[in-house]
Amino acid sequence: MFTVSSMRARIRLIIADGLGRVDLVVNNAGVMLAAPFADGRAGEWQRMIDTNLSGALRVVDVFLPDLLAAAADGRTADLVNISSVAAHGVFPSFAVYCATKAALSHFSRNLRAELGPRKVRVTSIEPGLVATELQGHVDHPDVNAAIDDWREAFDWLSDADLAELIAFTVARPRHVNFPQIVAMPTGQV
């Protein structure tokens, strides 16, 4: 039987054996469900909380010792949390999704205050619409129609756009940190 502490250590060892010691963590797991609050979709709310917030906290918990060690060794250490413009916006039918992303962005700001003095850079990237499978989770006919309209109206960001942004961000000199980046498709308002 594994304890939480031994499980964290085991995960770090498995990754270190295959890839080396971690000095960059990109926290990107997420689920976006149209769950109008009045519909009482408690299972969907919990799924978003578990993935978007609790999952992100667990990833940080597992890899923080490696990031702190890398920074203490004088290496660059980065934690990049992928949040969303939904952290700041109002999107009908997405109240819980927006709340989880707001919590992740706020967590990032506070974690940066805690880890920055220890030379670990924390960045929250908050993209607008990105052409990924995320919208495929939506099962609400009115929202699906709106998403289809947006796909036709303007070019969305791609996963490659975000990868490029992450690469640029973490390639800065060790003393430079972008705490928050909002990246939007030009046509999205």
Side-chain angles (χ1 to χ4, degrees), residues 30-52:
V31 63
M32 180 181 76
L33 304 171
F37 206 79
D39 290 358
R41 296 179 174 192
E44 291 180 2
W45 306 337
Q46 193 61 52
R47 184 174 166 206
M48 288 185 280
I49 292 166
D50 289 346
T51 303
N52 300 350

Side-chain angles (χ1 to χ4, degrees), residues 28 129-133 156-167:
N28 189 41
L129 290 167
V130 182
T132 65
E133 78 285 348
W156 291 19
L157 298 175
S158 69
D159 52 357
D161 295 329
L162 286 185
E164 231 176 84
L165 179 58
I166 293 165

Side-chain angles (χ1 to χ4, degrees), residues 85-167:
V85 296
H88 310 284
V90 176
F91 298 93
S93 301
F94 289 94
V96 176
Y97 175 76
C98 293
T100 64
K101 291 304 186 173
L104 182 58
S105 290
H106 197 65
F107 171 65
S108 297
R109 287 189 294 275
N110 281 275
L111 200 55
R112 182 179 180 276
E114 185 176 332
L115 299 178
R118 297 175 76 182
K119 308 299 184 211
V120 175
R121 300 187 298 192
V122 179
T123 300
S124 177
I125 296 182
E126 300 166 348
L129 290 167
V130 182
T132 65
E133 78 285 348
L134 191 65
Q135 296 78 30
H137 303 154
V138 176
D139 69 350
H140 196 280
D142 295 337
V143 176
N144 286 341
I147 289 171
D148 290 342
D149 289 346
W150 294 332
R151 282 187 208 282
E152 296 297 319
F154 55 88
D155 293 329
W156 291 19
L157 298 175
S158 69
D159 52 357
D161 295 329
L162 286 185
E164 231 176 84
L165 179 58
I166 293 165

Side-chain angles (χ1 to χ4, degrees), residues 16 59 170 182 184:
V59 167
V170 302
V182 177
M184 300 280 289

